[in-house]
Amino acid sequence: MRELEHWVGGKAVPGTSGRTGPVFDPARGVQTGTVPFASADEVDAAVDVATEAAAEWGAGSLSSRAAVLFRFRDLVAAATADLAAAVTAEHGKVLSDAAGEVARGLENIEFACGIPHLLKGSHSTEVSTGVDVHTVLEPLGVVAGVTPFNFPVMVPLWMLANAIACGNAVVLKPSEKDPTPSLLLAELAKEAGVPDGVLNVVHGDAVAVDSLLAHPDVAAVSFVGSTPTARHVYETGARHGKRVQALGGAKNHMVVLPDADVDAAADAAVSAGFGSAGERCMAISVVVAVGAVADPLIEAIAARMPSLVVGPGTDPESQMGPLVTAEHRDRVRGYVEGAPDEGARIVVDGRDLVGPADGSEGFFLGCTLLDEVRPGMRVYDDEIFGPGLSVVRAGTYDEAVSLVNAGPYGNGTALFTRDGGAARRCQRDIAAGMGGINVAIPVPVGFHSFGGWKSSLFGDSAIYGPEGIRFYTRPKVVTTRWPDPAGSEIDLGFPRTR
Ligand code: NAD
């Protein structure tokens, strides 16, 4: 049994609170480690270390910070297999998917490598006679990151690449369910030359998070997780005067118009619905089939499902791994169980899954397809976060868009069509932060920014990309006069530009 430790000041530090949580291998259903849960005092100690480190790091040259980031990028790329193995061991997703999340995380380091350009600020000359104005972007100091279980490499990198590049020090509180990848990232950062104390990893639960939210030396908090926690983090952090971006849950729809290519739409629905066992905030959980496309589309999706290989993430044959915990597996199964009573029709029943051939007792659940789902049913209203795909039938494009936009979340909406006019109109009509046209999972590349609307994001800043740079810096506007001594005079009026 592994006993994990915190990472503070560039080294592993054992937990002292006496509180711990279990870490499982979801594919075998066995506990493989314990993770310490930090007390408020342990959080304070990490913030102190970070505060000291931030002062020097933030004052360093841009070129030296960029050089460290380039090295970090290469080390993370070279460690892809190790990082992916750590993700699969604690999260359960298949190795190829875990390597995919490392690749998407790398985009954020690559973007941050351009930090000398990104922090250029702006300059106006001669705003008044002999007066210039320039804006510089300064680091905030210590920033906190709180991350979910479903992307234990990519989401920490959404935060820490830009935060560090901007000259801040970070205290990262990763998910207690899969804490090892964050520790590997911290070791790689140290090897790359990130100074001790600039990246710290403190494990824990709500006690650690609430301590960070109340700590006077934490300037900003980036959070990614479920909507109830996101709301709590946003409200609490804001009450303590912090800058907060809190990304929450989702219920993403894929609208399929009658003219769409049915096979391509079915491939996309299966991939986006069941990839990573549906444990993606950009997973498709509802297909909205418009008009006559419904029957052939459901048939095409159902036809693809029996051949999906569910098994341990380490088996190269597996396409989908287990769910993260037994509790979560049982919760998702409960939605399937309750669906017929609410009026939905089970087309493919994931509860029929026969376990992996090796007989392991992992947290597996097969893929389920439900038809005749409607708003008001729990299976439609709740974020299930598992391998369950619902189909809602709509008569028209307008009916489909109204249905999608009436939901409380606004992360991603995808449209499948061959009609360019409808696609263009849909871009304007959808009430979501990210749209996909014939792209089921429209996660923006690292040089754009990621963020939903409504209950999918609390705060006014999306994460990573240009918005990330804005979030992790504060502007300072400096007005400068180097007067010509010949024009000097006393003037008690308000500073003029005309
Ligand atoms: P979660 O909200 O349970 O946990 C997220 C983090 O918050 C963890 O580090 C956890 O320890 C901490 N936490 C949990 N309860 C807390 C509390 N009461 N007070 C303070 N901190 C608390 O989320 P999860 O189950 O780890 O992740 C899955 C959720 O994350 C899904 O809802 C998914 O949609 C969402 N998610 C959203 C995005 C996005 O970009 N919008 C991305 C990934 C995941």
Side-chain angles (χ1 to χ4, degrees):
M1 184 89 64
R2 291 172 60 230
E3 277 191 27
L4 280 86
E5 296 179 314
H6 307 295
W7 180 272
V8 179
K11 58 180 191 300
V13 175
T16 56
S17 72
R19 292 194 313 123
T20 60
V23 178
F24 289 95
D25 173 358
R28 291 186 293 135
V30 295
Q31 187 180 344
T32 54
T34 55
V35 59
F37 283 2
S39 63
D41 287 346
E42 289 172 288
V43 170
D44 286 354
V47 174
D48 285 350
V49 167
T51 304
E52 201 176 314
E56 197 172 334
W57 176 244
S61 76
L62 289 172
S63 55
S64 62
R65 294 215 295 263
V68 168
L69 285 154
F70 272 99
R71 282 198 295 276
F72 186 43
R73 186 260 164 226
D74 286 349
L75 288 168
V76 171
T80 296
D82 291 344
L83 286 163
V87 170
T88 297
E90 294 179 355
H91 175 285
K93 67 177 75 173
V94 297
L95 277 173
S96 56
D97 193 28
E101 98 160 74
V102 177
R104 294 305 305 263
L106 269 174
E107 286 175 16
N108 299 109
I109 312 178
E110 287 161 358
F111 177 75
C113 285
I115 198 66
H117 170 75
L118 295 165
L119 290 187
K120 274 200 302 212
S122 59
H123 186 103
S124 301
T125 191
E126 205 69 359
V127 296
S128 181
T129 307
V131 177
D132 302 332
V133 175
H134 64 276
T135 301
V136 291
L137 299 172
E138 295 194 348
L140 304 178
V142 179
V143 301
V146 180
T147 53
F149 79 82
N150 65 324
F151 285 109
V153 169
M154 184 182 77
V155 172
L157 287 174
W158 282 3
M159 303 171 182
L160 64 90
N162 283 333
I164 290 175
C166 289
N168 302 288
V170 177
V171 179
L172 177 66
K173 206 302 284 172
S175 170
E176 66 279 22
K177 296 191 177 85
D178 42 19
T180 299
S182 289
L183 294 170
L184 297 180
L185 288 174
E187 285 174 19
L188 293 170
K190 180 180 170 92
E191 196 182 335
V194 172
D196 293 350
V198 169
L199 173 58
N200 308 279
V201 180
V202 171
H203 302 289
D205 56 2
V207 172
V209 176
D210 288 343
S211 304
L212 287 166
L213 291 173
H215 200 294
D217 294 337
V218 173
V221 180
S222 298
F223 172 88
V224 177
S226 61
T227 287
T229 322
R231 186 180 280 117
H232 163 74
V233 166
Y234 177 69
E235 290 175 358
T236 311
R239 200 164 57 246
H240 286 92
K242 300 188 192 320
R243 191 178 285 196
V244 186
Q245 53 181 183
L247 283 74
K251 190 86 188 179
N252 306 306
H253 294 69
M254 169 175 162
V255 178
V256 183
L257 296 187
D259 72 312
D261 181 315
V262 169
D263 282 323
D267 285 340
V270 170
S271 308
F274 305 125
S276 200
E279 293 172 325
R280 292 179 181 144
C281 65
M282 290 292 277
I284 292 295
S285 56
V286 182
V287 170
V288 185
V290 179
V293 81
D295 288 334
L297 181 61
I298 290 166
E299 198 181 312
I301 293 173
R304 284 158 170 74
M305 291 173 60
S307 60
L308 294 176
V309 182
V310 181
T314 47
D315 182 345
E317 298 290 308
S318 302
Q319 292 168 290
M320 190 184 106
L323 292 169
V324 68
T325 58
E327 295 72 39
H328 188 50
R329 188 256 331 264
D330 294 346
R331 187 177 158 270
V332 176
R333 190 204 292 265
Y335 280 104
V336 180
E337 252 141 35
D341 292 343
E342 295 188 293
R345 183 172 70 88
I346 299 181
V347 183
V348 179
D349 193 339
R351 294 171 298 172
D352 298 340
L353 177 81
V354 179
D358 66 0
S360 58
E361 304 267 313
F363 309 139
F364 292 97
L365 184 65
C367 300
T368 294
L369 179 64
L370 300 168
D371 187 14
E372 289 158 35
V373 173
R374 286 185 311 279
M377 297 179 179
R378 279 181 63 237
V379 76
Y380 180 84
D381 293 345
D382 295 357
E383 181 185 35
I384 297 175
F385 221 55
L389 188 61
S390 297
V391 178
V392 179
R393 293 165 181 252
T396 62
Y397 165 88
D398 287 332
E399 197 186 308
V401 168
S402 316
L403 175 120
V404 176
N405 287 352
Y409 301 105
N411 232 26
T413 299
L415 179 77
F416 276 68
T417 182
R418 284 185 276 209
D419 179 337
R424 200 157 177 277
R425 184 175 156 203
C426 184
Q427 173 187 319
R428 193 182 54 237
D429 289 347
I430 52 166
M434 293 166 284
I437 306 296
N438 299 314
V439 173
I441 306 185
V443 174
V445 289
F447 42 96
H448 285 259
S449 298
F450 180 114
W453 290 4
K454 303 195 281 184
S455 293
S456 294
L457 191 151
F458 300 90
D460 60 3
S461 175
I463 202 161
Y464 73 72
E467 293 268 303
I469 301 299
R470 188 178 71 82
F471 184 78
Y472 289 125
T473 56
R474 54 187 153 197
K476 184 177 281 174
V477 188
V478 180
T479 302
T480 308
R481 169 181 281 140
W482 294 108
D484 177 348
S488 175
E489 61 181 14
I490 291 174
D491 181 354
L492 300 194
F494 196 65
R496 287 183 302 263
T497 54
R498 288 164 224 278

